[in-house]
Amino acid sequence: MTYTRERIGELLLSAGRITEGQLAEALAVQADEGGKLGQVLVRQLVLDEDLIARTLADQKGLQYISLTTYPVDREAVARIPERVARRSLILPVGYASGAIVLAMADPLDIEAIDDVRVRTNMPVQPVVATSTQIQYAIEKYITSENAFSDVMIAVEEDEEIPSEIESDDDVPIVRLVNQLIREAVIDQASDIHIEPGDKSIRVRYRVDGVLHEVMQLPLSVKAGVISRVKIMAEMNIAERRRPQDGRISIVVNGRGIDLRVATLPTPAGESIVIRVLNHDMEMLTLEDLGMADKHLRQMEKFLARPYGAILVSGPTGSGKSTSLYAGLTRINNPTRKILTIEDPIEYQIAGITQMAANPGIGLTFARLLRTVLRSDPDVVMVGEIRDSETAEIAIRAALTGHLVLSSIHTNDAPSALTRLVDMEVAPYITSSALVGVVAQRLARRLCKKCRKRVKVSDDLARAAGFSEEEITAGLKLYGAKGCDECTGTGYRGRVGLFEIMEMDEELERLFLREAPSEQLREAALKAGMISLRRDALDKVAKGITTLEEINRVVV
């Protein structure tokens, strides 16, 4: 292939992707701020990365590849140093016909091609990928691999890994643990699972509610990895027989990240789960959560109450805290004193006084709640009702002129009532104080860029719960496909599935008669409550998620 010193701006102009005015403006910005012209065009929202990459590939007769699905050869990746890859935004990804395949954000960079040719002593076959994908692949295949390789070299050379590892970035174990955390943040993982087994240590990330295996580590590094995490979380590294909890506050790529760490003793060693809390994430509104119009109206009605208790229920990881924050944000104004008790504080909200529970020094939810109620609040948010004492104080506070928001672990909305009875809160107090219960789950959203229409049989639609009227009218359902935007999964982000039960006279009557939760549920549905399953089916019918996804998260 013959390379000419063409410029990316000229190719985009000749392909009709930009105008001469846009090119002149971008060149002026580039002259002032520096950087590559393609990046300037993306920052100015003139073009997106994918369109630039595909245009360059078409104009130069090169292959466009997606590094999310391309079978990257790690041996080829190792042929160039990390600093070279980052400087030129390039990555060797494999071999073809005696040449090394080089993914490039800018295939017109002749100097980079010549550099790789000299370093590898092989002809170069350029292919085109977006700069974002190349940066991600560098993190995944070079930075991560370097950290792993350093640990393996230390193990092979019988280098002693101390039981107490200081925060020295030159120590291989420290670099490996830092890289695991950094990759999890980049992948937008909510949890990191480090699980020792009989033959290796499995590392998994939970992304959009689903676990993905990312690495297998040798057992020889088990003690070092576990000790390093426990030291970061200020745990007792000598205690291996009891579960422990800890916290880590770090900065990753300029963002403040809090990590909640839990260890569990297992026959194969201590298993570690790290919850990732990103303080810099944009605060979601009730609309962002995916609530239907009826649910939004109900929530507005609940939040407009001057006093009473609003409970959000669901299992761990169902988005309860996010919903509570969205509710607080909606009613946050200078005329109201809002206090929260959380464990931990996941997001900072301007104008709200937030406190963190710390049972280790006696600051339990119940103790803090007593103190809060003496501080003249209008609204109180209790992160979670975990015990009888907290439940009693919170519900009574709702009777004494406070609007109380909290979460509780139940499978559906009516079960929250029976759960409060289990916590020894008198039914007559609950029935008078409770405004309503919001039960929820989180389902993965279909990627809008690549979702595809799918045909579903009538029998399958009936089994899922769709009505005969919906089936007769014709269902237009979508399935997951996978693209660069969603890293090949077919899903991007999550949407809430909701079931909102409003307390009315009939529910109060049944509850005071100690009716079972099934009877309470029937009464709530008769009064107009939309079930979790029905809300999920409505979102499937709108193309927001898939049948497979709601079957995974909703009974």
Side-chain angles (χ1 to χ4, degrees):
M1 181 180 294
T2 302
Y3 299 102
T4 59
R5 289 190 174 274
E6 295 175 281
R7 298 183 181 275
I8 186 172
E10 295 168 355
L11 286 178
L12 292 171
L13 185 63
S14 64
R17 299 299 188 189
I18 57 175
T19 65
E20 290 187 3
Q22 289 171 329
L23 175 58
E25 185 177 348
L27 288 171
V29 172
Q30 183 188 33
D32 290 338
E33 302 177 3
K36 293 182 177 294
L37 182 64
Q39 294 171 338
V40 173
L41 290 169
V42 171
R43 287 201 306 270
Q44 291 184 310
L45 303 180
V46 175
L47 296 173
D48 61 46
E49 283 188 320
D50 187 67
L51 184 58
I52 292 175
R54 291 182 184 276
T55 300
L56 288 173
D58 289 343
Q59 290 290 299
K60 297 300 296 179
L62 299 175
Q63 179 186 1
Y64 170 85
I65 67 169
S66 168
L67 291 176
T68 57
T69 56
Y70 191 88
V72 175
D73 187 328
R74 289 181 179 269
E75 194 277 330
V77 171
R79 299 293 293 270
I80 67 170
E82 180 178 353
R83 57 181 175 78
V84 174
R86 289 189 182 279
R87 182 186 66 212
S88 301
L89 276 182
I90 57 175
L91 190 74
V93 293
Y95 302 97
S97 305
I100 189 164
V101 179
L102 184 66
M104 308 181 70
D106 180 8
L108 309 180
D109 191 342
I110 301 171
E111 289 79 7
I113 294 172
D114 290 339
D115 189 9
V116 173
R117 181 186 295 113
V118 171
R119 289 178 182 275
T120 62
N121 197 29
M122 295 181 67
V124 175
Q125 179 180 316
V127 294
V128 184
T130 66
S131 58
T132 298
Q133 283 195 15
I134 291 176
Q135 288 169 341
Y136 174 80
I138 290 171
E139 289 286 343
K140 181 176 181 179
Y141 296 108
I142 298 184
T143 308
S144 177
E145 191 69 24
N146 288 346
F148 178 74
S149 298
D150 290 343
V151 170
M152 293 310 299
I153 291 170
V155 170
E156 289 170 4
E157 293 179 353
D158 294 325
E159 181 180 311
E160 183 180 357
I161 297 176
S163 59
E164 294 193 15
I165 302 171
E166 301 300 329
S167 57
D168 184 353
D169 289 342
D170 289 334
V171 178
I173 285 287
V174 172
R175 287 206 302 275
L176 176 62
V177 172
N178 290 348
Q179 185 60 27
L180 289 177
I181 295 171
R182 188 180 182 199
E183 279 190 38
V185 173
I186 292 171
D187 288 350
Q188 298 181 6
S190 61
D191 300 89
I192 305 168
H193 292 251
I194 302 173
E195 305 161 323
D198 294 333
K199 298 180 180 179
S200 63
I201 304 170
R202 180 170 61 172
V203 180
R204 296 190 289 174
Y205 295 160
R206 188 180 294 280
V207 180
D208 287 338
V210 179
L211 282 169
H212 303 275
E213 184 174 314
V214 295
M215 186 178 292
Q216 290 274 352
L217 298 172
L219 283 177
S220 52
V221 304
K222 179 175 69 176
V225 169
I226 293 173
S227 293
R228 173 58 186 155
V229 173
K230 290 171 74 173
I231 287 171
M232 293 174 72
E234 298 183 353
M235 295 178 176
N236 181 358
I237 65 170
E239 178 57 72
R240 299 182 179 90
R241 299 170 299 172
R242 293 186 178 92
Q244 295 188 66
D245 295 310
R247 301 175 187 177
I248 304 170
S249 294
I250 59 174
V251 176
V252 177
N253 294 340
R255 293 183 291 170
I257 306 292
D258 261 7
L259 307 173
R260 283 191 293 178
V261 184
T263 65
L264 291 172
T266 73
E270 289 176 284
S271 175
I272 296 176
V273 178
I274 303 173
R275 170 63 58 88
V276 182
L277 305 173
N278 185 355
H279 289 301
D280 293 340
M281 284 183 64
E282 184 178 349
M283 188 64 63
L284 299 180
T285 65
L286 291 173
E287 290 80 4
D288 295 332
L289 300 178
M291 284 187 172
D293 290 340
K294 179 180 179 180
H295 287 156
L296 281 171
R297 290 193 297 271
Q298 285 179 298
M299 283 299 296
E300 293 281 5
K301 182 180 177 181
F302 289 177
L303 294 168
R305 292 282 293 267
Y307 57 85
I310 303 169
L311 298 181
V312 180
S313 74
T316 300
S318 59
K320 299 187 297 296
S321 296
T322 303
S323 294
L324 289 172
Y325 280 120
L328 289 179
T329 303
R330 180 61 63 94
I331 60 177
N332 183 18
N333 64 65
T335 66
R336 303 181 102 167
K337 174 73 171 182
I338 302 177
L339 291 165
T340 75
I341 305 168
E342 308 171 54
D343 184 22
I345 297 172
E346 297 188 18
Y347 304 104
Q348 298 279 355
I349 308 177
I352 294 179
T353 303
Q354 297 173 263
M355 293 176 292
N358 189 346
I361 59 173
L363 293 179
T364 62
F365 277 110
R367 184 171 180 180
L368 283 172
L369 186 52
R370 284 195 185 92
T371 303
V372 161
L373 294 177
R374 293 194 293 268
S375 303
D376 189 32
D378 297 299
V379 182
V380 178
M381 192 269 271
V382 183
E384 183 180 339
I385 293 178
R386 299 176 177 175
D387 53 63
S388 300
E389 188 179 12
T390 306
E392 177 79 16
I393 299 170
I395 296 301
R396 286 189 179 276
L399 287 175
T400 56
H402 305 92
L403 183 62
V404 178
L405 285 72
S406 189
S407 69
I408 192 167
H409 286 280
T410 61
N411 288 327
D412 59 13
S415 298
L417 296 174
T418 52
R419 176 65 179 138
L420 288 172
V421 173
D422 290 341
M423 290 183 172
E424 302 178 352
V425 181
Y428 72 90
I429 296 176
T430 299
S431 62
S432 300
L434 194 61
V435 174
V437 182
V438 181
Q440 67 180 73
R441 299 290 189 278
L442 289 177
R444 290 182 293 174
R445 284 182 184 267
L446 272 169
C447 175
K448 293 181 180 179
K449 192 170 184 179
C450 69
R451 66 177 186 173
K452 60 180 181 180
R453 286 285 298 275
V454 293
K455 178 69 176 176
V456 176
S457 68
D458 291 351
D459 289 341
L460 184 59
R462 289 189 191 93
F466 285 109
S467 66
E468 289 297 330
E469 291 79 5
E470 289 174 304
I471 295 170
T472 303
L475 291 168
K476 297 179 181 180
L477 306 185
Y478 291 83
K481 181 181 179 182
C483 67
D484 298 346
E485 192 76 16
C486 58
T487 62
T489 64
Y491 298 93
R492 185 176 177 86
R494 290 194 282 181
V495 63
L497 311 176
F498 299 94
E499 173 180 279
I500 300 183
M501 181 186 76
E502 183 175 358
M503 288 296 288
D504 58 17
E505 291 183 2
E506 177 63 14
L507 276 173
E508 286 186 30
R509 184 182 65 81
L510 289 171
F511 183 51
L512 290 172
R513 288 174 46 196
E514 299 183 2
S517 59
E518 292 80 6
Q519 195 171 345
L520 294 172
R521 181 171 186 79
E522 288 177 9
L525 290 170
K526 188 175 180 180
M529 181 181 77
I530 300 172
S531 70
L532 272 170
R533 184 75 182 182
R534 183 64 254 177
D535 188 44
L537 290 174
D538 289 343
K539 288 180 169 68
V540 170
K542 292 177 181 177
I544 297 172
T545 187
T546 64
L547 276 178
E548 293 80 9
E549 184 64 9
I550 67 163
N551 287 333
R552 184 181 68 85
V553 298
V554 181
V555 176

